[in-house]
Amino acid sequence: MKILVCITHVPDTTAKISFKDDNTKFNSDGVQFIIGPYDDYALARAVELKEATGGTVTVLNVGGAETEPTIRKALAIGADDAIRIDAEPTDSFFVAEQIANHAKDAGYDLIMMGRESIDFNGGMVHGMVGELLGLPAISPVMKLDIEGQTAKLAREIEGGKEYLELELPFIAGCQEPIAEWKIPNMRGIMSARSKKLEVVAPSDSSEAVKLQKYELPPAKGDVKMIDADNVEELVKLLKNEAKVI
């Protein structure tokens, strides 16, 4: 089985976020980057499927040269080779087009990625890739098993879970508990250095979104302590100050 896992290069969840150039660019100074956590789940399950059924796992990232340490970590976890599409990921549709244009003639049996990235949290790329390739796109996938050419999966829906069966190929947007994150061991780290990382030029794509500026969320206000028995005061504050009721 030939699996493609698309990964994002995102700031660590503990990073302090700031912007520069009049709030038009993300300030990456001093920020540690990681594989997107949901992509990490997809990669972990892909490696498990490869080990169980045979085949290969290729990781793909749309980004500049600064993303290569993140890609190498994915190789250390167990991917066989990697592709970096040399372009800034300006918006979801641009990224989806780059993935689809690469994958359309590559013969992948399964394309996996996280349900969303943790920087913009759009959750749109898997659906767009499915539409561009004419393939089913399922998200968020919490369980995935492969039997021959049939996939059995479970996904989260409002109020419960949905169990599905479909034929390969398809697109899976993954989340926990599809697998447990894998930590690269020393052997994996050493072998990742010699694994193939191919850099390719981006395909032609129109710019669908133009960024104007970034804004940080407003600072948290002071906490007001209210006596547990003073329900009337609590309702008043929720209605007039918090404006949530």
Side-chain angles (χ1 to χ4, degrees), residues 30 82 126 159 180:
H126 40 74
E180 292 186 4

PDB file of all heavy atoms in Angstrom, residues 30 82 126 159 180:
ATOM      1  N   GLY A  30      12.716  33.045  17.723  1.00  0.00           N
ATOM      2  CA  GLY A  30      12.659  32.348  18.997  1.00  0.00           C
ATOM      3  C   GLY A  30      11.539  31.331  19.125  1.00  0.00           C
ATOM      4  O   GLY A  30      11.315  30.787  20.209  1.00  0.00           O
ATOM      5  N   ALA A  82      10.284  11.740   1.546  1.00  0.00           N
ATOM      6  CA  ALA A  82       9.559  12.988   1.768  1.00  0.00           C
ATOM      7  C   ALA A  82       9.625  13.874   0.537  1.00  0.00           C
ATOM      8  O   ALA A  82      10.565  13.789  -0.266  1.00  0.00           O
ATOM      9  CB  ALA A  82      10.121  13.727   2.978  1.00  0.00           C
ATOM     10  N   HIS A 126      -8.368  18.822   3.683  1.00  0.00           N
ATOM     11  CA  HIS A 126      -8.723  17.453   3.279  1.00  0.00           C
ATOM     12  C   HIS A 126      -9.942  17.434   2.363  1.00  0.00           C
ATOM     13  O   HIS A 126      -9.974  16.707   1.369  1.00  0.00           O
ATOM     14  CB  HIS A 126      -8.950  16.556   4.502  1.00  0.00           C
ATOM     15  CG  HIS A 126      -9.667  17.213   5.631  1.00  0.00           C
ATOM     16  ND1 HIS A 126     -11.010  17.490   5.614  1.00  0.00           N
ATOM     17  CD2 HIS A 126      -9.202  17.665   6.814  1.00  0.00           C
ATOM     18  CE1 HIS A 126     -11.359  18.061   6.743  1.00  0.00           C
ATOM     19  NE2 HIS A 126     -10.274  18.193   7.500  1.00  0.00           N
ATOM     20  N   GLY A 159     -23.117  14.276  18.761  1.00  0.00           N
ATOM     21  CA  GLY A 159     -23.912  13.357  19.564  1.00  0.00           C
ATOM     22  C   GLY A 159     -23.468  11.912  19.532  1.00  0.00           C
ATOM     23  O   GLY A 159     -24.110  11.048  20.110  1.00  0.00           O
ATOM     24  N   GLU A 180      -1.329   6.462  18.782  1.00  0.00           N
ATOM     25  CA  GLU A 180      -0.549   7.205  19.762  1.00  0.00           C
ATOM     26  C   GLU A 180       0.660   7.833  19.074  1.00  0.00           C
ATOM     27  O   GLU A 180       1.260   7.222  18.184  1.00  0.00           O
ATOM     28  CB  GLU A 180      -0.074   6.284  20.891  1.00  0.00           C
ATOM     29  CG  GLU A 180      -1.205   5.768  21.766  1.00  0.00           C
ATOM     30  CD  GLU A 180      -0.692   4.990  22.958  1.00  0.00           C
ATOM     31  OE1 GLU A 180       0.545   4.924  23.131  1.00  0.00           O
ATOM     32  OE2 GLU A 180      -1.518   4.453  23.713  1.00  0.00           O
TER      33      GLU A 180
END
